[in-house]
Amino acid sequence: MSRKILIIGLALIMTAAATTGCRDHEQDVTIKTTEFLKAYFNADYDSAGQFCTDSLRMELAGMLESFDSLDPSIKEMVKKQAQAVTTEVISVVKSEQKDTILVKYKVVLPSFPSGVDNTLSFVKQDKEWKVAELGNKI
């Protein structure tokens, strides 16, 4: 009888640990998505790059160069519009490939209050989740 209770107890503990592990990666990726999108939409590509793989960080560096070359009045207009952008994480789904997560999020603009759905792909790199790809509307 006590052996049966021990086995059931261990099964419950293992289930709880597995569930906590899933929640942990979802919470971690959700936080990283929110912080990445905030930096990205505020044209702070240096900060956004900290959440990315090396290849995507290089792409963002190119975007920073392009942004920096804009006329100051245009840069200011872009920054003001970016401040009005809000984002919302809709779902975090781990792929069948263990080290890939797809995040679906919504971008809401004052001129488009129903928003636009987009995606980000995360990959696990050096035991850390990194943005690997900016997706398209879905």
Side-chain angles (χ1 to χ4, degrees), residues 2-12:
S2 64
R3 182 179 172 125
K4 194 181 235 185
I5 293 173
L6 179 63
I7 291 173
I8 291 171
L10 285 173
L12 289 173

Side-chain angles (χ1 to χ4, degrees), residues 22-106:
C22 290
R23 276 192 234 126
D24 285 347
H25 83 263
E26 285 180 27
Q27 184 178 19
D28 181 39
V29 168
T30 298
I31 290 168
K32 287 181 178 186
T33 298
T34 302
E35 291 175 5
F36 168 79
L37 292 173
K38 180 179 179 184
Y40 181 80
F41 284 112
N42 283 299
D44 184 357
Y45 299 125
D46 283 334
S47 295
Q50 295 176 11
F51 297 97
C52 300
T53 60
D54 292 339
S55 60
L56 186 55
R57 186 178 309 125
M58 291 179 68
E59 284 182 48
L60 291 179
M63 292 172 85
L64 178 60
E65 287 179 23
S66 296
F67 184 74
D68 284 342
S69 69
L70 293 174
D71 181 84
S73 62
I74 294 174
K75 283 173 49 174
E76 192 60 36
M77 181 182 70
V78 169
K79 286 182 179 181
K80 282 183 182 179
Q81 288 180 348
Q83 290 173 348
V85 170
T86 59
T87 60
E88 174 189 348
V89 174
I90 298 169
S91 65
V92 176
V93 179
K94 198 163 189 179
S95 171
E96 289 179 10
Q97 301 166 340
K98 288 183 179 181
D99 295 339
T100 304
I101 292 177
L102 183 67
V103 176
K104 183 177 176 183
Y105 67 96
K106 182 177 291 239

Side-chain angles (χ1 to χ4, degrees), residues 103-120:
V103 176
K104 183 177 176 183
Y105 67 96
K106 182 177 291 239
V107 179
V108 179
L109 305 159
S111 60
F112 199 68
S114 61
V116 178
D117 289 348
N118 282 293
T119 61
L120 290 177

Side-chain angles (χ1 to χ4, degrees), residues 36 53 56 102 119-123 130-136:
F36 168 79
T53 60
L56 186 55
L102 183 67
T119 61
L120 290 177
S121 294
F122 279 79
V123 295
K130 297 280 188 172
V131 180
E133 186 177 4
L134 303 173
N136 297 318

